[in-house]
């Protein structure tokens, strides 16, 4: 069946640009023939923790380091992140390991601050339709990683990317991270159908976050492989030097050994899928 | 069965405050024995349009005037509202009719501006978990109307209110406006179960918006009556002097005649429910 | 906005028959100007229990007695109902109180047996698309109460009714009982938007079951009133002489006192809604 | 994180049986180290069509032939399948190609008839909680392919399998086929998280049907590969000699060429996943 394209935005659509968008950040590329793996802790907890995490994910083959400094949390009484201090630790860990870093920005006014420390600006699920924030990162020179909203349709998600691109920033990485459904056996329902649909409708790269989707480290490896099978351009996974001590999302964080195993399997799979893995 | 309360926030919970919160704005009160009806156009389109709307909803018995000036829209190419100019028209219409006004604020930085013009600050569905914005209105002296997120659980919604109250503002009006489900016969699925659940868990007033929930003016009246049956403290409905010419959401806007009929039926019902309607 | 009708079935549609279908069973009528209340225990547990239940719901004003004899249960190890014995107890209770009775049939082959004992055949949510069963009750002379499937669209539900009507039985009562969504504060999400939509699209009567929708007796009364506000033709509520001892769904069953209170409020509301309540 | 197992059934659980269940049907095995591919048309339309389909899927490497004879359809006016005649054509096509066949049974009373023609009895999504039917196939000596209900939780699905196993039949193949969510870009949302969750909780094999999940042949190949990445034991895909002429679900049916490409890619992937593909 022919793919329906009438509903998409303009600038993000395949009609506007036939060839795939490839985004380069340091030595990493997202969207080309090679797979990218973004890894690191949910939250930056300390200088030592994020440095350890950076070293171990680099050693296993990750190409980009992640870590949250500003954490949007459902309850005002939950740990909200280390803020500017966390950004500094993350940037230092990136420099010492040679990995570009990505971290979330949750407020338009914080874009200049966060941009000083990170290579990629992340827009989280809760902010996918925070249009003031979208327009602000649309004026930044940093690439933007745009997570799908918890209950956003693919159309709404692509139109959120359209806001960023319409504001002037064409370097957008889409990230599927699970949607809200009635099922409770996993935290969210990873919608891998979004990968081929987005690829059909848009030229933007798309990666998958199996950690937030499942909320359970036991399911991260199979869903990471599933994401690559579906055609994703890469993965974003949570890795913690010691998941049991994590201040945030420990249940879904991979241990160093689990992440090493994931990277081994990703490499094995990438050949069969006709894609290499970016060398860190 | 006893109602489960373990999961709620602190300040917004019935444990923290047993008696119902009642919020007064001008002559209107929300949350007490009387029902409140907020009405007006989806978007302020012109000085004349909002003034006409204000006069007709006042004449029919509405107690608060609504009108959008900053419109969060899924597509960057849709009408985004008149902004500051729209706020001025809305404020003028409120003054001329003696009705307090409510309008949405979509960015933390806009709170001072919007507060100059409106009596109640509205947080829309897309921003229910925009914590920077919640904290900012939490520092305002204006009451806040907090719409439920499109796919927010009641717990997440109450915790969003907790952010506002924790920041210092106890005057919060919750507004159920439909949640996203698989059903497409109505735009969203109005979750009236939220009314008794919120009443059991929290002391905050709750009103219902049947216009956004259904997306179809033909269903607004029955669902408005349903909302009152469920125990809601009031309604928020879209009314346009000429729905067919509306720039936004015309399909769900009541005509002047339909709104008059709705107010007549609300008054008739309020007696049987043991509640009066606030006199405008 | 005009109501969209292109998608509906033939025989069940307003196009096929403009005037409302009214169904008479004993002294009860469903779908006319008067409201009907079906009440009784989730499951028939004993001769004494259902007789007590029948007497108390009759005394409070219910017009039809409900009670499950064949219970479809998620686990094969849960109580599955008393079967034929339960039907006999139910029929006896109906005869002694003069109330027509309704009970669920879960298998096409059981239709003749169940029809010997009951006045109305109920099709449960899990069987809404059990077409063999729909066709079989479509050949029965008994009215059919067709519950909406847990995740059925209104269109699918009306088309299930179309199966019954196409097989020859025009006496169908639709029953909204909550749909499955992401929200867990209530067992299901009662979709009262279905009431005006179904009324617009079909001539069939529609009632609402707030007991299964919420799974919590504390929320039954407000949602019962909401259902009537939405325009429902009646209610179906679970009442148990002693909810704490119920073998099934005790949490959502009303006590005798709670049911009496519900009937009092229903009567008060019915006047304001321009509808009387059928005299038992 | 340890996998939560408290909620599962007894006989289908890993606690009851640690090792994976492997089911043999003719030369095909489901659940062992090799991947199985079930393919064929949505509906048997004619003797010639199903024979052509059987030959082409056999040639490409499928190990089991599918084809619907009794079709459960949302509308009573849609094509309902050829019934017994269709079963005979399907059986003949299976014999001529040496492929075991699977077809759906939609009514308990039809189990003996359908069992005369097929090697595997399929229970469709709409009947996942048709307990009379589950118990009846539980008494059959044929393996059962149990599709997940459209809005069934994994727990409910495993408990449906428990009904079958409790009735005496341990040969059950689970089939994930997409769940109902708010997203409309694909017909359903394929829930690949179900694969590792079911593998953790149960010893039963699980396969995936990407055709029904997406409703669009363009998305079948990527989601087939995703399913294998997630750890599924096989696939069930719709293939039609000429999709444009299909009486049912033509949009989601693969053409002969597309199916050949799928099988090529499945074979390439299976090595990287450490699993071979069953030789037809």
């Amino acid at each position: 069946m022919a793919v329906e394209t009438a509903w998409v935005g303009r600038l993000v659509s395949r009609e506007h640009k036939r060839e795939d968008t490839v985004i380069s950040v340091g030595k990493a590329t997202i969207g080309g023939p090679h797979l990218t793996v973004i890894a690191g802790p949910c939250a930056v907890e300390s200088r030592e923790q994020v440095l350890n995490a950076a070293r171990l994910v680099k050693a296993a083959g990750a190409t980009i380091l992640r870590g949250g400094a500003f954490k949007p949390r459902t309850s005002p009484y939950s740990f909200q992140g280390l803020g500017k201090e966390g950004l500094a630790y993350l940037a230092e860990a990136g420099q010492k390991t040679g990995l570009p870093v990505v971290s979330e920005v949750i407020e338009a006014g914080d874009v200049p601050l966060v941009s000083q420390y990170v290579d990629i600006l992340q827009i989280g699920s809760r902010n996918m339709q925070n249009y003031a924030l979208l327009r602000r990162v649309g004026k930044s020179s940093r690439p933007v990683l745009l997570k799908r909203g918890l209950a956003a349709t693919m159309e709404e998600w692509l139109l959120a990317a359209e806001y960023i691109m319409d504001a002037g920033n064409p370097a957008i990485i889409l990230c599927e991270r699970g949607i809200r459904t009635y099922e409770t056996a996993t935290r969210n329902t990873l919608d891998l159908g979004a990968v081929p649909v987005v690829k059909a409708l848009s030229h933007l790269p798309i990666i998958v976050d199996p950690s937030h989707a499942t909320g359970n480290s036991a399911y991260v490896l199979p869903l990471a492989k599933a994401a690559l099978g579906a055609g994703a351009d890469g993965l974003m996974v949570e890795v913690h030097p010691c998941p049991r001590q994590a201040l945030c999302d420990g249940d879904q964080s991979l241990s160093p050994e689990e992440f090493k195993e994931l990277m081994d399997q990703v490499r094995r799979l990438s050949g069969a899928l006709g894609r290499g893995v970016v060398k860190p």
Side-chain angles (χ1 to χ4, degrees), chain A:
Chain A
M1 191 170 86
V3 170
E4 175 60 56
T5 56
W7 48 273
V8 202
R10 300 175 197 168
L11 304 174
V12 304
S13 74
R14 282 274 178 207
E15 276 65 44
H16 179 71
K17 179 163 173 280
R18 294 305 309 173
E19 66 278 16
D20 289 344
T21 287
V22 181
I23 296 167
S24 292
V25 186
K27 294 183 194 165
T29 59
I30 304 109
H34 294 89
L35 300 172
T36 306
V37 180
I38 303 173
C42 176
V44 176
E45 297 170 7
S46 70
R47 186 169 175 272
E48 191 185 4
Q49 173 246 20
V50 71
L51 196 53
N52 282 346
R55 283 176 177 145
L56 77 90
V57 302
K58 166 79 181 267
T63 45
I64 299 175
L65 176 65
R66 61 151 288 152
F70 293 101
K71 303 294 303 172
R73 302 301 297 274
T74 302
S75 166
Y77 309 123
S78 299
F79 172 60
Q80 311 269 323
L82 295 183
K84 186 178 170 181
E85 185 188 352
L87 290 174
Y89 295 153
L90 180 70
E92 182 189 349
Q95 284 156 6
K96 289 204 169 153
T97 52
L99 294 176
V101 300
V102 56
S103 197
E104 183 170 353
V105 54
I106 58 179
E107 197 173 350
D110 287 343
V111 172
L113 171 71
V114 178
S115 298
Q116 288 174 33
Y117 293 98
V118 309
D119 302 283
I120 302 172
L121 295 164
Q122 178 178 322
I123 303 292
S125 294
R126 289 175 179 82
N127 281 314
M128 195 204 80
Q129 293 190 313
N130 181 336
Y131 300 121
L133 182 57
L134 296 180
R135 285 212 183 86
R136 189 59 193 75
V137 298
K139 292 192 176 112
S140 166
S141 58
R142 301 280 185 218
V144 176
L145 190 155
L146 178 65
K147 288 204 153 188
R148 183 180 183 181
L150 191 59
T153 63
M154 299 180 207
E155 182 179 11
E156 291 167 342
W157 186 21
L158 289 169
L159 285 169
E162 188 82 16
Y163 266 91
I164 298 171
M165 207 158 162
D166 184 50
N169 191 343
I172 304 164
I173 304 153
L174 298 166
C175 180
E176 160 65 31
R177 45 76 74 215
I179 60 173
R180 182 163 270 178
T181 71
Y182 67 85
E183 176 62 69
T184 56
T186 46
R187 194 164 69 169
N188 297 122
T189 297
L190 189 63
D191 180 9
L192 288 178
V195 176
V197 173
V198 161
K199 287 276 174 200
L201 296 173
S202 175
H203 53 82
L204 295 173
I206 177 170
I207 66 172
V208 171
D209 175 350
S211 305
H212 280 88
T214 60
N216 187 325
S217 60
Y219 305 138
V220 169
L221 175 57
L223 289 182
K225 293 195 286 182
L228 300 182
D233 296 303
L235 300 169
M236 184 167 189
V237 293
E238 292 195 356
V239 182
H240 194 282
C242 182
R244 292 188 184 198
Q245 293 172 14
L247 292 181
C248 164
D249 284 346
D251 285 346
Q252 72 196 34
S253 293
L254 297 185
S255 69
E257 296 69 33
E258 289 167 331
F259 181 64
K260 197 168 168 303
E261 171 68 14
L262 179 141
M263 288 304 300
D264 287 347
Q265 296 209 23
V266 164
R267 267 183 290 265
R268 218 185 313 159
L269 206 54
S270 64
L273 294 166
R275 303 183 79 154
V277 182
V278 180
K279 296 275 164 34

